[in-house]
Amino acid sequence: MELNLVEIFSSIQGEGPDVGRRTLFVRLGGCDLRCNWCDTPHTWLPAKRARLERTAGQGDFEEAANPFTVERALSASAPLLAAVPHEFVSLTGGEPLLQPEACAALAAEFRALGSEIHLETHGLHATALRQVLPHIDIVSMDWKLASDVRRESEPKGAVAEPFDVGHAAFLEVAREAPRCVVKLVVTLRTTDAEVDAARDAVAKLHPDASVVLQPVTPFARVTERPSAERMLALHARLRESLDDVRVIPQTHPVWGVR
Ligand code: SF4
């Protein structure tokens, strides 16, 4: 089975409730959204070549041509997994669920090696998730806010249609996973109304989900992050109907790792 691979490397989880855990990242190519704050725009299109870390956590990469096979991805990962215990393998992107067969095969193989499988997804491809879900331990889905995210098919500068219907359909599948994290990236454009809509949908569909409010990390066109006061006000807003709500900024920029 073939897949488009961007990179494989060993690091620590830099965001969400499992921040700090040793994680092998397997990043797949291609994405059908365009988040204004995206910090991996090189993944939007399938990659011609993949980067493979040679030594766990040392950032020394070799390159290899795409397409990859699941077997090649596993053998490229083997020395990294052997060098140091990893608690998670993160299937990320891009949008990994654009390649559901490959995702399912990778997840099954990595899980057999003893790691928990973390799926990092924009949270809009429910049918693909259904295919992958039996092999996943943690679904970490975004709840995209249309104030700062558009579909690839929508023109730049247009006001995007909200993503709530697609996210609700996705969450109805994701709630069958052992753990589910719903992440909202908050920018200066985030409105109370769109946060309320996300809160009400999560409270109705999966009130036990962990919800993460992540202040945007300035990158590319985004130069400012929301204030601490704004984040605390949104936290209080979500806590009106959800139990597990956390404000967790990305940690990688703080100490300069990927
Ligand atoms: S969904 Fe992820 S990879 Fe795609 S544009 Fe948004 S942040 Fe970037």
Side-chain angles (χ1 to χ4, degrees), residues 30-41 43-44 93-95 121-122 142 144 149-150:
C31 185
D32 52 351
L33 293 188
R34 296 293 179 264
C35 304
N36 284 338
W37 38 264
C38 178
D39 58 1
T40 54
T43 67
W44 289 353
E95 174 45 55
T121 170
H122 64 31
D142 284 1
K144 299 292 189 188
V149 177
R150 67 179 171 88

Side-chain angles (χ1 to χ4, degrees), residues 4-211:
N4 186 268
L5 180 70
V6 174
E7 58 186 354
I8 297 175
F9 63 96
S10 168
S11 187
I12 54 107
Q13 178 56 256
E15 58 186 53
D18 295 307
V19 68
R21 304 273 193 193
R22 192 70 186 235
T23 300
L24 182 82
F25 291 89
V26 179
R27 191 184 302 285
L28 303 186
C31 185
D32 52 351
L33 293 188
R34 296 293 179 264
C35 304
N36 284 338
W37 38 264
C38 178
D39 58 1
T40 54
H42 62 289
T43 67
W44 289 353
L45 300 176
K48 290 196 174 122
R49 299 180 70 75
R51 301 193 323 152
L52 308 169
E53 193 176 46
R54 290 196 190 94
T55 316
Q58 297 307 302
D60 53 335
F61 288 90
E62 61 187 4
E63 290 194 357
N66 271 306
F68 254 65
T69 60
V70 170
E71 293 71 27
R72 275 178 74 204
L74 286 166
S75 76
S77 305
L80 306 181
L81 291 173
V84 56
H86 287 71
E87 285 149 291
F88 296 112
V89 171
S90 174
L91 300 178
T92 185
E95 174 45 55
L97 289 180
L98 293 178
Q99 304 181 65
E101 293 85 7
C103 239
L106 285 168
E109 296 286 351
F110 278 119
R111 205 189 219 178
L113 297 175
S115 297
E116 287 195 42
I117 308 299
H118 183 287
L119 176 69
E120 186 79 36
T121 170
H122 64 31
L124 289 165
H125 293 306
T127 304
L129 178 64
R130 176 74 65 198
Q131 202 172 335
V132 176
L133 196 64
H135 313 292
I136 300 297
D137 296 290
I138 304 163
V139 175
S140 179
M141 65 174 284
D142 284 1
W143 198 285
K144 299 292 189 188
L145 305 177
S147 53
D148 240 334
V149 177
R150 67 179 171 88
R151 294 163 187 82
E152 180 195 11
S153 54
E154 290 170 331
K156 273 186 198 172
V159 179
E161 284 295 314
F163 298 92
D164 296 353
V165 172
H167 283 319
F170 190 91
L171 187 54
E172 284 197 58
V173 181
R175 65 188 177 187
E176 296 171 24
R179 282 177 60 200
C180 183
V181 178
V182 180
K183 182 180 76 185
L184 283 72
V185 175
V186 179
T187 75
L188 293 189
R189 296 195 214 189
T190 299
T191 67
D192 289 353
E194 57 189 355
V195 170
D196 288 354
R199 174 199 62 198
D200 294 346
V202 175
K204 179 176 165 204
L205 294 168
H206 193 7
D208 296 331
S210 300
V211 177

